[in-house]
Amino acid sequence: MSFGLHRFWKEHIFDFLNAEKNEIFLDLAGGSGDISKIITKKFPENKCVLVDNNNQMILEAKNKLKGSNVDFVCAESEKLPFKSQSFDYIIVSFGLRNFSNINSSLFEIQRCLKKNGLFICLEFSNVNRKSLRFLTELYYEVIPKLGKVFVGNEFAYKYLVESIKNFPNQIELTKKLIKSGFKKVECFDLMGGIASIHLGKK
């Protein structure tokens, strides 16, 4: 539905970090393992933990990442089973809008980061340009119909659109990150705000 742009955006995450050898990644809401796969490709000597609350997705990720240095944990983002200050980088890619409680999840992410650790969030966001916003809203009306035709699941794509519309915009999410204790919070729009990357340091 993103015409493949989501793959480019996921790669773009890694323009904001340069991991050293012993640093540890958490791929939160890692799904089928796209982000973990990029991590193992770019930083093969670094440890990565993929967390998702769906066992079926974890099984898909395990198949995709066979032989790689990735651990798999089934857990909720609101209650992560890790000691405080466990990770140097925590990445959430198109997952934050699906968390049951975003505020609780952000506090947990902040807790699990090491001092000076970096949280990176890639998510659909609020389009800033009026002309592009109009076209985007038209496309959002079409997405469920495309989901019905190509995937046979209109409901899932209705949920996708609603979750995007209800998700905090760039300013609101920045405020949530600051309230959760993150410092030096930055936001970078992609394609006029169709998606955005938020960075927060501990």
Side-chain angles (χ1 to χ4, degrees):
M1 297 299 175
S2 70
F3 302 102
L5 286 170
H6 65 285
R7 296 188 182 91
F8 169 76
W9 294 337
K10 287 178 179 180
E11 290 277 355
H12 192 41
I13 286 172
F14 294 88
D15 293 341
F16 297 97
L17 61 90
N18 185 22
E20 296 181 3
K21 186 175 180 180
N22 295 318
E23 292 183 323
I24 305 171
F25 287 87
L26 173 59
D27 177 12
L28 183 56
S32 63
D34 289 350
I35 294 296
S36 291
K37 187 175 182 180
I38 299 172
I39 291 169
T40 58
K41 178 182 174 183
K42 291 183 177 290
F43 308 106
E45 296 182 347
N46 289 66
K47 186 72 177 177
C48 176
V49 179
L50 183 152
V51 171
D52 201 276
N53 70 345
N54 186 315
N55 272 312
Q56 189 60 44
M57 296 303 291
I58 288 176
L59 288 174
E60 289 192 30
K62 285 181 177 179
N63 288 329
K64 183 184 289 187
L65 297 162
K66 279 181 180 176
S68 60
N69 189 24
V70 178
D71 288 338
F72 301 90
V73 177
C74 186
E76 299 282 346
S77 60
E78 293 83 2
K79 195 174 181 180
L80 295 171
F82 307 110
K83 293 180 180 179
S84 298
Q85 302 192 58
S86 293
F87 300 97
D88 298 281
Y89 300 98
I90 297 180
I91 300 172
V92 178
S93 172
F94 299 117
L96 192 66
R97 73 182 188 283
N98 295 319
F99 290 172
S100 300
N101 190 317
I102 291 175
N103 293 331
S104 295
S105 300
L106 290 176
F107 277 110
E108 273 292 88
I109 290 167
Q110 205 268 356
R111 178 186 68 80
C112 290
L113 273 174
K114 295 179 182 179
K115 186 178 179 181
N116 295 317
L118 183 65
F119 172 50
I120 306 174
C121 175
L122 168 63
E123 191 53 86
F124 292 112
S125 203
N126 191 55
V127 179
N128 293 311
R129 280 185 277 177
K130 287 185 178 179
S131 58
L132 187 57
R133 187 185 304 143
F134 175 74
L135 292 173
T136 303
E137 288 175 356
L138 282 179
Y139 185 53
Y140 284 164
E141 295 297 319
V142 175
I143 284 177
K145 297 177 177 62
L146 294 177
K148 184 177 181 179
V149 172
F150 292 107
V151 188
N153 191 339
E154 184 176 3
F155 173 78
Y157 288 90
K158 279 184 178 177
Y159 168 78
L160 170 65
V161 171
E162 288 304 312
S163 69
I164 294 170
K165 288 181 177 179
N166 293 328
F167 188 71
N169 64 30
Q170 293 92 320
I171 295 172
E172 291 166 348
L173 184 54
T174 295
K175 289 179 179 178
K176 285 181 180 292
L177 287 168
I178 293 170
K179 189 175 180 180
S180 300
F182 289 96
K183 310 295 182 186
K184 298 181 181 178
V185 177
E186 298 179 275
C187 177
F188 300 90
D189 280 348
L190 305 173
M191 291 190 65
I194 291 177
S196 65
I197 293 176
H198 278 78
L199 308 176
K201 269 209 167 189
K202 180 167 179 178

